[in-house]
Amino acid sequence: MAGTDHSAGSGSENRVGQLRVSKDAVHVRRRRLAAVGLVGVLLLGGCGANALLGGGEQDSTATTGAPTAGPAEAMAPVTGDTPDGQDDAETSGQADAGAGSGDETGQEDGAAGEQPGGSEDEAQETQGTQEFDWERDPVAAEHPSDATAMERVDYLTGGLTPKSVMASGHGLAIANNMMYSHTSTVFDTTTREQLAVLSDSVDVSEFGVEGHPGTSQGAPVEAVWTDDGRYAYVSQYTMYGQNFGREGFDNCTVHDGVGPSMLYRFDAHEMAWDQVIKVGAVPKYVALSPDQSTLLVSNWCDATLSIVDTQLGEETGTIAMDAAPRGIVIMPDNNTAYAVAMYADQLYEIDIAEQTSEVIREIGPRPRHLNLTEDGSTLYLTVSGANAIYKIDTASGEIVDQVTPGVEPRSVAMSPDESALYVVNYDEATVSKIRTSDMEVIDRVQVDANPIGIDYDPVTNTVWVACYSGSIYVFDDQDALL
């Protein structure tokens, strides 16, 4: 079936340039609570921000000092022009270590949405109450995903510079804003309202991590949720603060002395960070084993994978790879994994228990993302530099099919029924939908410049697309048939 194109302006419920605001009493009270918090932040900024952040910028090569807030607003990358940094360094093989580098580079849209308001007494009434539902059940799709078209139902802005967006599968989504924004935004996927904006400033000693006194800042990149939707582990590209070593940058090697970084764990019940885990230098992708016992983290500058025991909440080993590890998937046996080394153009098979890796295939330029079917039989590998997605039989290791979805394909999501893939095409500002049975592009939609993150929410059967230019698109995947 031939693919169809949908313009970015379609959808009767679109509200371009502003966040959709619920008038439900629960959400009104939540916004009033946010107002009180905002006043507190402004007061802190007037009298104590310099003391908290160390009062000035930190040199990127310094090994000690207070955390650096970074520029309040960085320039957004330009499609087809300069590299976008964290992964655009992946595009060009080069990166600037300054504030404009990293695929964390982005620009806030400027739309603020509704201004919250309300009294302190009203806000205090809501403290300690649970006004959100993070335990919703997925809703069975009426139609197979390879028979439906993507129809835009929302356009979210307001304080967003999203590097990635990941759905919990139980009613929440977390968007990690580019590293110099220093925030992660949590959404209710049904109302699509912002529930929380999490600062990456923490005192890691309060989470049992020693050697870094005072307040430290992170730089959020990617996330993975536990199966029950309770927790999300968020990788922090680099850490700013005491004793973290050299600041991370994309064009790094194992000899550059870039310091170790952290994972933060988000607790959906408390709407707060509740755990900090030290890993390697510049962690990017995070994968969780099917039995929920093990995290694998790709450490970009270390050329390693961190093995994290989720029960212990600590790194228990590392696995050596080649330059710039990124995408990871873990097989149903909870021990075999696959990972890519972007700058080495290699696909690895990993034995977690033995802590070993083996190159099983040389791949085209810049392999980036991996998706795996639930039974482990089929692996989908995105090769950004070749504008391709390969379908691989894991039993034989052979490429059995492939597709060109667009220019510079990056992150990919798979429908719950595994009949469709959704890929962001970074250099053409589109999202392509691919039928997995024959690897044909069956749908394509326009989005803002530099789409970089994508995920499927099974509670609402919608596809969420993060664009560096300051927006998140939400597409319904069931209402319209192809």
Side-chain angles (χ1 to χ4, degrees):
M1 182 177 295
T4 57
D5 287 346
H6 302 285
S7 70
S10 65
S12 61
E13 299 182 27
N14 300 336
R15 299 190 181 184
V16 178
Q18 66 179 22
L19 192 69
R20 291 185 58 187
V21 179
S22 169
K23 300 301 182 183
D24 184 88
V26 167
H27 297 144
V28 171
R29 289 197 303 272
R30 186 184 303 127
R31 290 194 290 272
R32 288 172 176 167
L33 178 59
V36 176
L38 177 60
V39 170
V41 170
L42 292 174
L43 291 174
L44 176 63
C47 63
N50 285 340
L52 177 64
L53 297 178
E57 295 187 1
Q58 174 184 325
D59 182 73
S60 64
T61 60
T63 58
T64 61
T68 303
E73 183 173 315
M75 293 302 295
V78 179
T79 304
D81 191 1
T82 56
D84 84 294
Q86 187 189 44
D87 286 352
D88 264 325
E90 299 162 5
T91 301
S92 65
Q94 298 177 348
D96 181 356
S101 69
D103 55 1
E104 273 69 41
T105 307
Q107 180 177 350
E108 293 189 13
D109 185 85
E114 179 179 324
Q115 180 66 32
S119 70
E120 183 176 353
D121 289 342
E122 289 173 319
Q124 287 177 341
E125 290 176 2
T126 68
Q127 291 179 358
T129 63
Q130 301 300 325
E131 297 180 347
F132 49 88
D133 183 1
W134 56 270
E135 298 179 285
R136 297 191 186 105
D137 293 327
V139 175
E142 181 180 357
H143 308 290
S145 289
D146 62 357
T148 58
M150 293 182 287
E151 293 289 332
R152 198 180 91 177
V153 293
D154 221 333
Y155 179 85
L156 309 177
T157 61
L160 297 174
T161 55
K163 161 71 182 75
S164 63
V165 61
M166 297 298 292
S168 70
H170 294 276
L172 300 182
I174 190 166
N176 296 304
N177 297 308
M178 69 93 173
M179 61 186 293
Y180 295 106
S181 292
H182 292 293
T183 59
S184 296
T185 305
V186 181
F187 291 90
D188 181 320
T189 60
T190 300
T191 66
R192 298 189 283 276
E193 178 157 325
Q194 291 188 17
L195 298 178
V197 178
L198 306 168
S199 170
D200 61 13
S201 293
V202 299
D203 183 343
V204 298
S205 66
E206 295 180 355
F207 300 92
V209 179
E210 299 179 351
H212 308 284
T215 300
S216 301
Q217 280 187 311
V221 185
E222 299 274 2
V224 64
W225 288 87
T226 55
D227 278 350
D228 63 3
R230 173 70 185 268
Y231 300 106
Y233 294 89
V234 178
S235 57
Q236 305 293 322
Y237 181 95
T238 194
M239 296 296 296
Y240 304 90
Q242 294 287 334
N243 307 323
F244 283 109
R246 187 178 183 186
E247 180 182 327
F249 63 104
D250 258 4
N251 199 25
C252 57
T253 72
V254 295
H255 306 294
D256 287 325
V258 174
S261 192
M262 308 284 175
L263 297 182
Y264 293 178
R265 190 176 76 169
F266 167 71
D267 182 341
H269 184 71
E270 300 297 332
M271 280 284 154
W273 306 121
D274 79 330
Q275 193 176 63
V276 173
I277 304 169
K278 182 174 284 190
V279 290
V282 183
K284 294 219 177 175
Y285 204 76
V286 188
L288 183 59
S289 62
D291 67 3
Q292 313 291 283
S293 68
T294 304
L295 286 163
L296 289 182
V297 185
S298 54
N299 300 312
W300 185 265
C301 295
D302 278 356
T304 64
L305 300 181
S306 286
I307 304 170
V308 173
D309 184 309
T310 59
Q311 290 298 312
L312 297 175
E314 64 182 39
E315 182 187 75
T316 57
T318 59
I319 300 170
M321 289 181 56
D322 209 327
R326 207 181 197 292
I328 315 165
V329 291
I330 303 176
M331 293 283 278
D333 66 4
N334 299 298
N335 183 64
T336 306
Y338 295 96
V340 294
M342 277 195 67
Y343 286 175
D345 302 338
Q346 293 169 334
L347 173 64
Y348 283 77
E349 185 174 299
I350 307 296
D351 187 310
I352 299 174
E354 297 297 325
Q355 299 185 17
T356 59
S357 64
E358 178 185 2
V359 177
I360 60 172
R361 179 173 288 278
E362 300 289 338
I363 296 293
R366 300 189 308 282
R368 188 181 188 276
H369 194 94
L370 293 169
N371 294 84
L372 184 70
T373 55
E374 187 175 3
D375 64 4
S377 65
T378 304
L379 183 70
Y380 297 98
L381 168 60
T382 306
V383 186
S384 297
N387 297 328
I389 299 178
Y390 297 144
K391 183 177 183 178
I392 298 174
D393 184 303
T394 56
S396 65
E398 295 299 315
I399 297 173
V400 296
D401 208 345
Q402 66 184 77
V403 65
T404 300
V407 181
E408 189 69 25
R410 295 203 173 181
S411 299
V412 183
M414 184 158 51
S415 62
D417 65 6
E418 300 183 351
S419 69
L421 299 173
Y422 311 81
V423 57
V424 290
N425 300 309
Y426 187 86
D427 281 348
E428 68 177 35
T430 64
V431 176
S432 294
K433 184 176 185 179
I434 299 156
R435 185 169 51 221
T436 56
S437 60
D438 59 6
M439 297 300 282
E440 291 291 326
V441 175
I442 57 174
D443 198 12
R444 182 179 282 112
V445 291
Q446 293 291 134
V447 292
D448 286 344
N450 310 125
I452 186 70
I454 191 167
D455 205 14
Y456 191 105
D457 173 50
V459 172
T460 58
N461 289 300
T462 54
V463 178
W464 291 55
V465 180
C467 300
Y468 259 149
S469 46
S471 61
I472 293 177
Y473 284 76
V474 184
F475 294 95
D476 178 85
D477 195 48
Q478 283 294 298
D479 282 352
L481 295 177
L482 289 170

